[in-house]
Structure formats: structure tokens, C-alpha cells
Amino acid sequence: MFELDRSELPVPGDVAGLFRNIWGHIAGPGSAWTGAERVAMARTARAARGHGDVGSVLPEPVVDLIDVVVREPSAISQATVDESVADIGLIGYLETISVASLVTGVDTFTALMGLGLESLPEPMAGEPVPPARVRNLKLRKAWVPTTGLPLPRLALGAHPQEQAMTNQFLDRLYMTPDQSREVGSIRGLSPMQMELVVTAVSHGNRCFYCTLGHLVILQMTARNLGEVVDPIAIVDQGIDSGIAGGKELVELSRSAASLHADAGTTKAVAAALGPEAAVTGAEVAAAFMMTNRIVEATGQPALANQRDRVRPTLERLGALDFAHSGHTTLLERPGTLKRVARRLRARR
């Protein structure tokens, strides 16, 4: 299972190990659905991207929910969430979007590596086990209850098992919350190159929260390094981003955000920046193919002051036309993000 060393590019062995753990996680009973139902969700997520048929016994509202999560997550609204939660419960809703998002992320990576889809796991027996009571869980500015600020690593906080697995995926394929960007390279890519991929993938998925947040990080990282970048290269091929290999990284990102990721774009990054950089670019793209969907499906609000600070760039990117560009909140206390990062480290 997940023999990723068959790729022409050097995929680290721990990625295959992570994917095997995800497949085992999907195959087992969750907190709302059986293993058979969870595997059916994975099959439905693939069907939404044109790979196979649904062929499942899932209720029609669940099939419809998975289809929109996979194909057009920005079309989800608070009304969508409220209706789904009324039908299948909050835990059922979070579990559904988590499974669909994880499968989308894994499949994006294997496609970018030029590998076929991995066979879905055989379901495990057993009944769902409701999650334990979660401390500090309440409805804040998101569309579902959370345990803190609007962050992807807290968005599924009402369902600790799913939050833990999606955090593992994001931490390994992107970076951990406390990882410094004041370094020359992260697995073969500079911090600016990584943020260009994140911003471009998020833009392709029309995820306003991640487009805004990582646009700000990209510009801040460039400023700290004394560099000049032009993120408009994400939407205009005639513009030089000012980042080495930027054209190839944007093409990889656009490919990832399409229904059919093209391994040729990964090879182009390898030719421009080297094999390690190409694999990392695919990892980061896959991480945000998952993350964008979780953010959009839980209604995490972007920060209003960030939006206002980079409004001219957002206008040029067309991001202010995204469905959730008006869904914002204020950062209430200085230093809160750092405190959240410390709390996440303490849990690991």
C-alpha cells in the first residue's frame, strides 16, 4: 500500500507511512459513521473528481455534501452547514468533510507524483463511538463550534480524532505552527516559494481565508528578507513573481487545484528547482487541497485588518469576488496566535 518509491521523484518514506495511517483512519469506525460508511465517503469524494462511481448506500444529502466539498468548497454557506448539521448532526458533518478533504489531499499528491489512485481500504468492523466532551468548545465567529481562534488546526475541534489526523497531514506536508520561516530552505523550497504555492492553490480553490492569510505571510516573508515579490503572477503569466521557479510553482498549484492534477507540472518544477523542491511543492499543494476544504466547510472567518491592509492586491487577484471575502472577524488580543501555537505544541 502506498508504494510511493515507484515515483520518478524521491518521495520521503514517512509520507507513505502517513498516508497508510490515513487509510487506516478512514477504514475504521469514527464517531458518527461506520468504517463501511467512511470508505463509501472516500469513494464518493473520488467520484466527485471524476474517478469512478459513487455506488454507495450513503444518504443522498451526504453524497451531495461531499460533492460540493470536493468540487466547489467556496459554494458552501452557513445555510449549507446548518441544513447538513440538522440532517446528520455536527459530528457527522465534521467527520464527512474531514474524510472527503483527506482523500482529496492524498489523491492530489499521488497524481502530482505520476502515480495512480491507491486502492481504498477495506472497511473495519465496529460501531461509531461518540467523542469525549471537548473543553472550551463554543460557537464563536465560525459556522461550527471551535475551541479557539479561526485557525485550520482548530476548525474541527468538536471532533478531536478528525482534527488530530488533519493536523498531522498539514504539519508534515506543509509545516508545523512553530516552524521558522527565517531559514534558507524547507525541504528544498524557500519559505517564499512555499507560500507562493499555498497562495496559488488557495486562490485556485477560491478559498478567501487561506488566500488572504498566506498572501500576507508571503509579502511579510519577502519584506523580512529584503526581497520584492509580485503575487499577481498567480493570475497573470506575463508577470514575473520575483521568486525563483515561480512560474513552474504556480503551474503546479493551478494543476493541483483542478479536477485532474498533472504530473508534468511537478516534473517542470524538478527541472527548474530540483527533485526535492518538486516533491515538497506537491506536498504543500496537497496539504492545502485538504485545508482549503476544511476552512470553507466550517466557515472560518478571515481577519478584517489583514484584508484591509492588502485590499489593492486582493482586488487585482480578483479575490474580493470570492464568496467568503466578506466573512471576517477582528483579532481581539495581541499575541493570541503565538499563544495558540504554544498550546498546539504542548498537546503533541
Side-chain angles (χ1 to χ4, degrees):
M1 182 185 292
F2 286 110
E3 296 175 355
L4 302 184
D5 55 358
R6 293 186 291 108
S7 172
E8 296 178 18
L9 296 171
V11 181
D14 65 334
V15 174
L18 171 64
F19 288 178
R20 292 185 191 110
N21 288 342
I22 290 172
W23 252 221
H25 170 75
I26 290 173
S31 294
W33 306 100
T34 65
E37 289 167 330
R38 288 163 62 86
V39 173
M41 289 173 183
R43 186 176 301 110
T44 302
R46 283 186 167 174
R49 292 172 66 85
H51 303 297
D53 299 321
V54 174
S56 75
V57 294
L58 295 173
E60 186 175 350
V62 175
V63 173
D64 292 342
L65 171 62
I66 293 171
D67 188 72
V68 71
V69 167
V70 173
R71 293 178 61 86
E72 194 178 2
S74 64
I76 296 172
S77 65
Q78 184 164 11
T80 307
V81 177
D82 292 345
E83 183 177 346
S84 294
V85 169
D87 285 340
I88 60 178
L90 174 63
I91 301 304
Y93 177 77
L94 297 179
E95 195 165 307
T96 301
I97 65 173
S98 174
V99 170
S101 300
L102 282 165
V103 171
T104 300
V106 170
D107 287 352
T108 297
F109 182 78
T110 58
L112 288 172
M113 289 295 100
L115 303 171
L117 295 177
E118 185 69 33
S119 297
L120 292 173
E122 289 296 319
M124 299 179 190
E127 293 300 314
V129 178
R133 181 177 177 273
V134 178
R135 293 178 56 193
N136 200 34
L137 183 70
K138 61 182 180 180
L139 193 61
R140 293 174 167 86
K141 298 294 180 65
W143 298 335
V144 299
T146 61
T147 57
L149 284 175
L151 293 170
R153 290 181 171 90
L154 300 177
L156 302 177
H159 197 317
Q161 293 89 344
E162 297 303 327
Q163 185 69 79
M165 184 55 70
T166 58
N167 283 355
Q168 286 182 39
F169 194 96
L170 185 58
D171 287 351
R172 171 55 189 85
L173 270 66
Y174 172 52
M175 62 172 68
T176 59
D178 58 339
Q179 192 166 350
S180 174
R181 292 180 176 85
E182 296 179 3
V183 295
S185 174
I186 301 172
R187 307 194 308 277
L189 286 182
S190 73
M192 287 197 303
Q193 289 168 327
M194 291 187 79
E195 294 307 325
L196 180 64
V197 172
V198 176
T199 308
V201 169
S202 301
H203 185 277
N205 285 321
R206 300 180 68 82
C207 176
F208 184 76
Y209 176 102
C210 292
T211 299
L212 169 60
H214 290 275
L215 170 65
V216 170
I217 294 173
L218 172 61
Q219 294 182 325
M220 185 183 304
T221 303
R223 185 166 58 250
N224 290 343
L225 295 173
E227 303 284 346
V228 177
V229 300
D230 192 343
I232 307 306
I234 291 171
V235 296
D236 187 340
Q237 292 180 315
I239 290 178
D240 182 359
S241 67
I243 297 173
K247 183 175 185 292
E248 290 81 5
L249 290 169
V250 167
E251 287 301 314
L252 179 148
S253 304
R254 288 173 172 161
S255 168
S258 70
L259 289 178
H260 302 285
D262 178 8
T265 61
T266 315
K267 293 179 181 178
V269 174
L273 300 173
E276 183 185 27
V279 173
T280 299
E283 290 173 352
V284 174
F288 279 83
M289 286 295 285
M290 176 201 73
T291 303
N292 292 163
R293 283 159 175 78
I294 290 171
V295 165
E296 293 293 280
T298 57
Q300 302 304 305
L303 298 179
N305 61 335
Q306 284 189 346
R307 181 188 61 183
D308 296 340
R309 191 187 317 155
V310 296
R311 181 178 290 273
T313 303
L314 293 170
E315 288 178 347
R316 293 178 66 197
L317 288 171
L320 292 178
D321 294 330
F322 292 178
H324 300 155
S325 63
H327 184 42
T328 61
T329 188
L330 300 175
L331 184 59
E332 292 149 358
R333 292 183 295 163
T336 306
L337 292 177
K338 291 183 179 179
R339 288 193 290 274
V340 171
R342 286 198 296 269
R343 194 161 64 242
L344 287 167
R345 289 198 299 274
R347 291 176 183 172
R348 291 202 298 267

